[in-house]
Amino acid sequence: MLAGVLATIAPEAALIPTVIYLVMWVVSIFPWWFLTVRRLHDVGHSGWCLLLAIVPVIGVLILFIWMCTKSEPLPNKYGPVPNVE
């Protein structure tokens, strides 16, 4: 929001909001990757399946479906079942 306000107030300083946005994106992309890989492991898939996000529609749809499925009820090759109550 701050970046949008700065771009509105000072359009000539549009570089500042762009830099703020890029920094926020870089800071948030790594935790998103790590959490997605953990979720893929919970449903029994390799973390390399995250590369399906490169495929425009089908890959993202497959990842979305996997993210919405229940975790495996027993420990798998990626570790024990997380304690979620």
Side-chain angles (χ1 to χ4, degrees), residues 3-72:
V5 170
L6 287 174
T8 304
I9 293 172
E12 65 278 352
L15 180 63
I16 294 170
T18 304
V19 170
I20 291 172
Y21 174 77
L22 288 175
V23 168
M24 295 287 292
W25 184 82
V26 168
V27 166
S28 66
I29 194 72
F30 291 110
W32 178 82
W33 280 342
F34 300 145
L35 290 173
T36 304
V37 168
R38 286 188 67 174
R39 180 67 186 128
L40 286 170
H41 286 177
D42 286 345
V43 294
H45 296 287
S46 169
W48 287 104
C49 292
L50 180 59
L51 292 176
L52 282 173
I54 296 171
V55 179
V57 176
I58 301 298
V60 173
L61 182 63
I62 291 170
L63 281 173
F64 179 76
I65 291 169
W66 284 345
M67 295 297 140
C68 294
T69 58
K70 285 188 171 188
S71 298
E72 291 186 342

